[in-house]
Amino acid sequence: MYRALALFALLITPAAAQDAANQMPAKGSLGAVGQIAFSHKLFAQTAASKDTLAMLTAARLAGAVDLNPVSRDAETSGTATADQPDAHKAPLDSATMLAATRALTAEDDTLIALLAEAETANTLIRAGSANVSQHTLPAGQSDSFKLPFDGEVLAEIAIVGDSDSNLDLTVTDAAGHMICADADPSDIANCAFAAAETGYFTATVQNHGPGMNSYLLLSN
């Protein structure tokens, strides 16, 4: 599991931006926000193949992070496309991941025991906390948020969608310099960086469709 976390940390390292005025190399291990994003990626990739051990790992990682609900105002732009599907109303949570894993365990006593252990462990061992807000974004539109971060410490921003569409995340500093840019076809993304100075950063979430997406915006 730790090897997988280390690999994910390498994959989400922001692209170098030589002219980024408010960015410095991020030091330290994957934070709680990155752990949430990784857990959802892992679950999405392994649920299709019914890899119950990997699904269980994803559920444990997600369940070990405390989520603190916060209120955030989004600046929405763009034109929503017509007739877009909205199959899911919210992203998965750790309890739903565990339930989906349990449904596949059948009579496997080992997996049943591991599930019970996961539920107990998550109540005892916490991996940190993340601020979270939920937003609904139609296909064709973008949400932008201004988020403050302290200088010279790890800063994390992530999005986790409900799987109805492709979401992309970009992060810029107050001067408009690019810090992170996600362009993969999923609706899960994470940006980890360190600000050179305390300041505001803009996180922009773009919905490329085809459907309405109810997503989580997470930060530390």
Side-chain angles (χ1 to χ4, degrees), residues 129-181:
S129 63
N131 297 319
V132 59
S133 55
Q134 184 168 335
H135 308 269
T136 299
L137 184 63
Q141 293 191 317
S142 299
D143 282 344
S144 292
F145 305 85
K146 290 192 179 300
L147 305 175
F149 288 100
D150 293 330
E152 300 185 11
V153 295
L154 178 68
E156 288 188 300
I157 304 170
I159 54 171
V160 174
D162 65 7
S163 76
D164 283 337
S165 65
N166 171 22
L167 298 180
D168 283 348
L169 171 68
T170 59
V171 178
T172 57
D173 68 9
H177 297 110
M178 184 67 70
I179 304 297
C180 297

Side-chain angles (χ1 to χ4, degrees), residues 14 20-27 150-153 179 192-197 201:
N22 197 8
Q23 183 184 10
M24 60 188 295
K27 298 180 180 180
D150 293 330
E152 300 185 11
V153 295
I179 304 297
F193 64 100
E197 300 176 346
F201 293 78

